[in-house]
Amino acid sequence: MRKRYHKISYMQRHIGRMQHRIIEARVRSLGIHPSQHFLLMHLSEMGRFPSQAQIAEELDISPASVARTLKQLEAGGYIERCGSDVDGRRNEIAISGKGVEMVQRSREIFGRLEAASYAGFSAEELDALESLLQREMDNLRRLEQGGEIQNSRR
């Protein structure tokens, strides 16, 4: 069983690296650095724009990295900062028209990548894959938090 676990883990890591290379190449072709792109996409998904500290916590990166990347996004014209109506000590972030265009182009690219990745999978296979990966993520979350994994199946 150990060899099988190893093979599956290897395949997952390899798939992740392949996806990362493809995504990074596509993102660079858009003219934006991957770290800037990652943060811009995260902001677009949120629907609200939290503080830099909240962004750092959600993405598990340093507040300094968030601050630097936001400055780069602002310099590139992808975001705009304006004073908060609620708290004068805080700047709010808004995605600019250029940023919205980048997000739309990115979603098209990722949509094509995802469709290509799962070409030929039936709806049932996708359901099963999603369920299995969720279970694996749950197991790893428990381990990360110091818990143990229940081996109910073999």
Side-chain angles (χ1 to χ4, degrees), residues 84-101:
S84 170
D85 293 337
V86 178
D87 183 351
R89 300 168 295 170
R90 185 175 164 196
N91 281 327
E92 294 196 351
I93 300 165
I95 298 177
S96 68
K98 182 178 179 181
V100 168
E101 182 181 317

Side-chain angles (χ1 to χ4, degrees), residues 12 14 32 44 60-61 80 88 96 100 114 118 131 139 154:
Q12 287 178 307
H14 193 69
I32 187 171
S44 75
D60 195 26
I61 56 178
E80 300 165 345
S96 68
V100 168
E114 290 165 351
Y118 301 108
S131 175
N139 288 344
R154 290 243 173 203

Side-chain angles (χ1 to χ4, degrees), residues 8 12 124-140 153:
I8 293 168
Q12 287 178 307
E124 293 80 18
E125 289 170 325
L126 290 172
D127 289 343
L129 180 60
E130 182 180 7
S131 175
L132 293 169
L133 292 173
Q134 183 63 57
R135 189 179 329 152
E136 182 179 13
M137 285 174 49
D138 293 344
N139 288 344
L140 292 172
R153 293 187 194 189

Side-chain angles (χ1 to χ4, degrees), residues 64-119:
S65 292
V66 172
R68 183 177 53 253
T69 304
L70 287 173
K71 281 183 187 176
Q72 292 167 336
L73 286 169
E74 185 177 23
Y78 298 106
I79 64 167
E80 300 165 345
R81 297 184 203 225
C82 54
S84 170
D85 293 337
V86 178
D87 183 351
R89 300 168 295 170
R90 185 175 164 196
N91 281 327
E92 294 196 351
I93 300 165
I95 298 177
S96 68
K98 182 178 179 181
V100 168
E101 182 181 317
M102 177 64 69
V103 167
Q104 290 170 339
R105 291 174 61 198
S106 296
R107 286 190 176 133
E108 291 169 9
I109 289 170
F110 291 129
R112 287 192 299 270
L113 173 62
E114 290 165 351
S117 294
Y118 301 108

Side-chain angles (χ1 to χ4, degrees), residues 18-38:
M18 291 170 67
Q19 287 174 330
H20 182 79
R21 283 193 310 268
I22 293 167
I23 289 168
E24 195 165 283
R26 301 294 196 287
V27 166
R28 286 187 188 280
S29 76
L30 294 173
I32 187 171
H33 189 276
S35 64
Q36 295 171 27
H37 181 266
F38 178 68

